[in-house]
């Protein structure tokens, strides 16, 4: 049995569900929006880990769950909790249910894509950058500061620079230009990461177990995810091949971070250096699958079903 956790209509989850249907692999939905009709309990003793999950009246033995794909949204933002007091029975039940699920996934013998603890490195991009460097990838020269003078000195040293968030929350990467000078004093109130601009070609690498899917991105935008707003046209995506050596480095980095599935952002420079900007532990791969034709969702489904 495979457990898909989150909102069933979300594209990455929905695609894996469709792939599991094609495989004929049994699975169930942990639909967060149905939390009111879901119960869960487990215990760990000398006999091992056991428990049950009841979803809309159907009981599922947890020791029969072999794979879990988790893309949980912040349950506090569920529409079903809108207007609910923080101490209401409904809110307390929702909190307890999600806490139980997350704690179980952390210690279960099931193949979990991905465990919360393993995803933690992405909550601090500077910390994750140190781990990336340890695995042989280049990382851009970086400055994290609240000092406007330090920003100006950094730009003087590196010329073109970009800035972005230091947290795991998505932010739009922007080039630091003249219009930013007028509001640079605001950096005193918000620690910001500045980096030397790295010229080259973006490649998103999805690693699923031992499988590697690389997508080449062609765009003049600083942040190709927002290419239409930055340069007026969408980025162009195309499946590409990496060298065996680079593919294995991506697999090794993913495993070292404790991940089963990752989205690795690379930039290949004209002089053949390989920079790594980030390892996304919960990649929204559906955009890349739709535009490159790569069967990433099927690879995730096979991985969950232990078919690899």
């Amino acid at each position: 049995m495979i457990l898909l956790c989150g909102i069933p209509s979300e594209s990455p989850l929905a695609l894996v569900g469709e792939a599991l249907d094609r495989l004929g692999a049994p699975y169930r939905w942990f639909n967060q929006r149905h939390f009111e009709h879901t119960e869960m309990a487990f215990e760990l003793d000398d006999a091992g880990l056991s428990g049950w999950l009841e979803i809309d009246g159907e009981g599922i033995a947890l020791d029969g769950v072999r794979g879990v794909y988790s893309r949980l949204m912040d349950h506090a933002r569920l529409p079903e909790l809108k207007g609910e007091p923080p101490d209401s029975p409904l809110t307390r039940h929702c909190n307890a249910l999600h806490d139980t699920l997350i704690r179980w996934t952390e210690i279960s013998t099931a193949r979990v894509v991905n465990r919360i603890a393993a995803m933690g490195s992405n909550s601090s991009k500077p910390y994750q950058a140190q781990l990336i460097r340890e695995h042989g990838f280049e990382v851009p020269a970086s400055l994290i500061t609240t000092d406007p003078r330090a920003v100006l000195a950094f730009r003087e040293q590196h010329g073109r620079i970009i800035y972005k968030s230091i947290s795991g929350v998505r932010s739009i990467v922007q080039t630091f230009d003249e219009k930013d000078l007028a509001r640079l004093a605001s950096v005193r109130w918000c620690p910001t990461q500045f980096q030397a601009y790295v010229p080259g070609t973006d490649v998103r690498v999805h690693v699923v177990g031992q499988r590697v899917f690389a997508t080449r991105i062609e765009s003049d935008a600083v942040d190709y995810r927002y290419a239409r707003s930055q340069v007026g046209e969408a980025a162009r995506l195309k499946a590409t091949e990496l060298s065996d050596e680079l593919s294995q480095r991506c697999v090794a980095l993913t495993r070292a971070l404790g991940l089963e599935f990752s989205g690795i952002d690379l930039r290949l420079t004209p002089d053949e250096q390989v920079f790594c900007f980030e390892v996304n532990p919960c990649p929204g791969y559906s955009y890349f699958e739709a535009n490159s034709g790569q069967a990433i969702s099927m690879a995730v489904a096979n991985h969950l079903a232990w078919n690899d």
Side-chain angles (χ1 to χ4, degrees):
M1 179 66 68
I2 295 165
L3 196 60
L4 303 181
C5 304
I7 308 297
S9 59
E10 197 221 4
S11 294
L13 274 172
L15 288 172
V16 170
E18 293 169 7
L20 290 170
D21 284 332
R22 294 196 296 274
L23 288 176
Y27 67 95
R28 296 292 183 272
W29 288 102
F30 179 97
N31 186 339
Q32 289 183 272
R33 299 195 65 179
H34 294 178
F35 67 85
E36 188 174 3
H37 307 291
T38 305
E39 303 281 349
M40 185 177 188
F42 71 86
E43 62 179 19
L44 179 63
D45 55 27
D46 292 341
L49 181 65
S50 61
W52 53 268
L53 175 64
E54 184 176 309
I55 301 175
D56 294 327
E58 178 189 5
I60 300 169
L62 292 179
D63 56 7
V65 176
R66 290 172 48 81
V68 180
Y69 183 32
S70 180
R71 287 187 60 88
L72 296 173
M73 69 170 287
D74 180 358
H75 61 270
R77 298 178 178 273
L78 289 170
E80 289 74 15
L81 288 181
K82 186 176 182 180
E84 279 290 322
D87 60 347
S88 75
L90 189 64
T91 301
R92 291 201 305 268
H93 172 70
C94 184
N95 291 341
L97 176 66
H98 283 83
D99 184 62
T100 301
L101 174 66
I102 290 170
R103 289 176 184 273
W104 173 75
T105 59
E106 291 299 284
I107 61 175
S108 172
T109 58
R111 177 173 280 174
V112 180
V113 181
N114 284 302
R115 301 182 197 273
I116 294 295
M119 296 171 67
S121 70
N122 193 241
S123 297
S124 170
K125 288 181 172 62
Y127 169 68
Q128 192 188 69
Q130 297 179 62
L131 303 178
I132 289 170
R133 184 186 287 112
E134 290 174 1
H135 285 81
F137 292 94
E138 299 288 343
V139 297
S142 301
L143 170 71
I144 299 167
T145 188
T146 57
D147 183 351
R149 294 170 300 177
V151 177
L152 295 177
F154 188 72
R155 187 174 72 154
E156 180 68 23
Q157 179 182 1
H158 295 285
R160 185 178 181 184
I161 62 174
I162 60 92
Y163 60 93
K164 57 186 178 181
S165 166
I166 62 174
S167 75
V169 178
R170 172 182 280 201
S171 63
I172 302 175
V173 180
Q174 301 276 11
T175 297
F176 184 87
D177 56 24
E178 295 307 310
K179 73 177 185 298
D180 295 306
L181 286 173
R183 60 194 186 105
L184 183 56
S186 298
V187 80
R188 292 190 176 96
W189 311 105
C190 181
T192 303
Q193 180 171 209
F194 298 85
Q195 290 184 328
Y197 175 77
V198 177
T201 301
D202 287 307
V203 177
R204 164 54 81 92
V205 181
H206 289 97
V207 176
V208 185
Q210 296 292 321
R211 298 196 63 185
V212 174
F213 300 86
T215 306
R216 180 187 180 95
I217 299 103
E218 297 179 356
S219 176
D220 293 327
V222 175
D223 190 332
Y224 66 81
R225 300 169 301 175
Y226 301 93
R228 192 172 295 280
S229 62
Q230 289 187 346
V231 297
E233 61 177 353
R236 299 171 298 281
L237 280 62
K238 184 178 181 180
T240 190
E241 295 289 332
L242 303 180
S243 68
D244 289 345
E245 185 270 340
L246 182 52
S247 292
Q248 287 307 308
R249 281 165 60 192
C250 290
V251 171
L253 175 58
T254 300
R255 300 302 290 175
L257 294 177
L259 302 172
E260 300 287 338
F261 180 27
S262 71
I264 303 176
D265 292 322
L266 302 181
R267 182 164 292 175
L268 312 184
T269 70
D271 60 356
E272 299 184 345
Q273 289 182 291
V274 180
F275 282 79
C276 180
F277 296 143
E278 181 180 357
V279 181
N280 190 321
C282 193
Y285 69 88
S286 51
Y287 165 68
F288 298 91
E289 177 165 310
N291 286 278
S292 71
Q294 297 175 101
I296 303 169
S297 58
M298 182 57 75
V300 175
N302 274 301
H303 194 61
L304 291 166
W306 296 75
N307 291 337
D308 53 7

